[in-house]
Amino acid sequence: MLDALRNAAGTWVAKLLLVLLIASFAVWGISGQIVGGIGGNSVITAGETSVSVIEYRLAYDRQLNILSQRFGQRLTREQAQALGVDNQVLAQLVAGAVLDEQARTMGLGLSDQRLATLTAEDPAFQGANGQFDRNRFEYVLRQIGMRPEDYLKNRSQVAIRQQIVEAVSDGMVAPDAFLKAVAIYQGEDRTIEYVTLPASVAGEIPDPAPDVLTKWFEDHKSSYTAPEFRKIAYVKLEPEDIADPAAVADDEVRKDYEKNIARYTTPERRTVEQLVFVSEAEARAARERIADGATFAEIVAAEGKTEADTALGTVTKAEIPDPAIAEAAFSLESGKVSEVVAGAFGPVLLLVRDVTPEVIQPFDQVKDQIRMEIAVNEATRVLLDVHDSYEDARAGGDSLQEAATKLRLKVRTVEAIDSSGNGPDGAPIADLPASTELVRSAFDSEPNIENPPINIGSSGFVFYEVLSVTPARDRTLDEVRTKVLADWKSQTLSDKVAAKAREIEAKVKDGTPMAEAVADLALEPQSKFGLKRDADDADIGKSGVAAVFSVPVNGTGTTRGPQDNSWIVFKVTESFEPAGVGPDTVPEDLRDSFASGLADDLLDELVARLQDEYEVTVNQSAINRALSF
């Protein structure tokens, strides 16, 4: 988070958040005294520095707005409390207060001229000409709910705090020894000997006794909870939903057909070959040989060419770029050779091998399609009028059903849907318009409330309403017995294979060769070379690679295999450090990240030290007042 802020455009907002968020990494538990039941307008005091009720509320609202935008909905006070917003804001303000107190004791300050310069240089307040724009300055502040005087105070505080922050963290770099260790760590590769234990080594798993299955179910009951379901009604309004083909006259359909006849026409296609000659005399001589009985193929061969050289393919007249050749090719009978044609690249002889005639779809075959297209086009034109009529009907007191009936729109009902879009059977509800947005919106709404419509593309709407809510509940064992039994068997099987894997690992760890340790299972150990950290190996999986790198050379381990209920026993036999690595082989962005992390650690330590040096008092009564208005 601090990296992102440091690399931001440098606006006062980013810098302010940089300083205020320092505490979020190390100051969740506020050191100092928390008092309650007293008066006063200060929420926090640190030495002679204080944070007012108004400042706390502004910071709280800003943090709430940030999270609301992230979640796509306005968070309630209860939701904010559950997310720890109050603790976050308190930590931020405490960090700012102790930095301000440190700046005061150090005699740090900022002149009015410097403050004006910083404000004018802020890109957020500059117009198109790159100069400070007062109107934009006031507009931006209104958007975030801040008065100009509050901004100037905060900007001054940020600039002063920044002097301390930069003195602590600027120029921080990760040591070369650390970076070299990172390069070696990242470049290491390992060789392992391993064996994969399939699920079959556990044998057949019999059904459990009733009391065993019941206990398993009780221990895992939360996995079988029935989710909250909602019954919703919705009306889809797209051009197709209000199109009226019956209102389109027959002569209008006929006129559209004749106007757009090309749409219903498949043009004639011909398979054409062309043979290009160097001179017209050679072309005419070849044509005379054909007249005397030679075949086109013989002439092609005599010219030292093949059929691949002469093929134009099966094309329409429009697809032949040379008009003279196109005209000649589509004037020939099938199987005939043309006279000499003056082509764009020289004299040409043409052969038409096959003709596929033009096909025009009959009017009766396409009239219904045309009628619907005309009706949809008309519906598109009036769709917004229908939308407005629906909204007017609802505003006038009509229910969703009544408003839809007036406009001849169909109301569809989903009897039960969960927040993932699934029905009670666990399968997705099919054919929901704007399904993701509709489900999300329905679970953000309450029963029997009119909701804003959801847009479908550029020309459609979904009106919806939640009819009822079925709360989440615990299912009984009888409802999910089949799944519970399958899950119990799967877990029991995996546990038995895992136990066998641990048994084999113990033998290998004690010095038994792996081949001997698995001899009774008729399994062959395998070797794998060149395993890299963080790889996703096809045979042992990403978690298996992580397990391999979690033990020393000659160490052993077990890990779940990629196949269902399989387990792997492995031994690290070799490890190789990469050659020629050093600080410079670590990617630059990673070096910057380490440097930033070290700087953050110093800033965390600074804030923690300042909290110990300046007694911090938190007035809970003032916080309660701040959140009450």
Side-chain angles (χ1 to χ4, degrees), residues 1 16-17 19-24 27-28 30 44 51 59-60 62-63 66 85-99 161 607:
M1 185 186 303
L16 177 61
L17 287 175
V19 179
L20 293 182
L21 288 176
I22 290 170
S24 67
V27 199
W28 289 109
I30 305 300
I44 298 165
V51 177
Y60 183 91
R62 289 190 199 107
Q63 186 71 4
I66 290 171
V85 172
D86 47 354
N87 288 333
Q88 294 172 32
V89 172
L90 192 59
Q92 293 164 10
L93 294 178
V94 167
V98 295
L99 285 170
R161 292 170 187 170
V607 171

Side-chain angles (χ1 to χ4, degrees), residues 138-334:
E138 294 176 348
Y139 170 77
V140 171
L141 295 185
R142 282 199 305 272
Q143 291 298 103
I144 60 174
M146 179 177 280
R147 299 177 304 169
E149 54 267 34
D150 293 329
Y151 161 76
L152 294 173
K153 177 184 176 183
N154 283 332
R155 189 65 185 87
S156 177
Q157 287 176 325
V158 166
I160 296 171
R161 292 170 187 170
Q162 196 68 14
Q163 296 176 42
I164 301 174
V165 171
E166 289 174 354
V168 172
S169 62
D170 271 14
M172 179 64 65
V173 294
D176 285 352
F178 173 80
L179 293 175
K180 183 176 180 180
V182 169
I184 293 173
Y185 176 85
Q186 291 181 324
E188 177 190 4
D189 67 69
R190 291 188 167 195
T191 301
I192 63 169
E193 183 183 24
Y194 73 99
V195 65
T196 301
L197 277 62
S200 58
V201 303
E204 189 69 24
I205 305 297
D207 287 353
D211 60 326
V212 172
L213 189 64
T214 298
K215 185 178 186 309
W216 160 271
F217 172 70
E218 292 297 332
D219 291 343
H220 300 83
K221 183 176 287 188
S222 61
S223 301
Y224 304 99
T225 298
E228 176 183 313
F229 287 100
R230 296 196 166 203
K231 180 178 181 179
I232 62 173
Y234 68 90
V235 175
K236 183 168 72 73
L237 175 57
E238 289 187 287
E240 294 81 358
D241 298 305
I242 58 174
D244 185 7
V248 181
D250 291 343
D251 59 344
E252 188 177 359
V253 178
R254 170 67 72 173
K255 182 178 179 181
D256 188 273
Y257 173 77
E258 293 173 353
K259 178 181 178 182
N260 299 291
I261 190 67
R263 292 177 54 193
Y264 312 107
T265 300
T266 303
E268 177 183 334
R269 302 181 72 84
R270 294 186 169 211
T271 304
V272 181
E273 292 185 33
Q274 68 170 2
L275 181 59
V276 182
F277 293 88
V278 175
S279 67
E280 186 174 348
E282 292 182 9
R284 291 190 180 283
R287 183 66 184 83
E288 288 175 3
R289 291 199 299 274
I290 289 175
D292 290 340
T295 65
F296 188 80
E298 290 171 344
I299 301 300
V300 170
E303 291 293 314
K305 298 181 180 180
T306 66
E307 184 175 332
D309 298 322
T310 63
L312 277 180
T314 301
V315 293
T316 65
K317 187 175 183 179
E319 291 172 339
I320 300 177
D322 190 325
I325 292 177
E327 189 62 38
F330 275 77
S331 300
L332 283 173
E333 294 181 18
S334 179

Side-chain angles (χ1 to χ4, degrees), residues 28 150 181 206 228 250 284 360 374 397 428-429 433 456 495 536 580 613:
W28 289 109
D150 293 329
E228 176 183 313
D250 291 343
R284 291 190 180 283
I360 300 176
I374 294 173
I429 301 295
I456 307 177
D495 290 345
D536 188 1
E613 183 172 345

Side-chain angles (χ1 to χ4, degrees), residues 418-440:
D418 67 18
S419 60
S420 298
N422 300 323
D425 60 354
I429 301 295
D431 302 325
L432 278 181
S435 57
T436 301
E437 181 66 14
L438 177 57
V439 172
R440 186 191 67 78

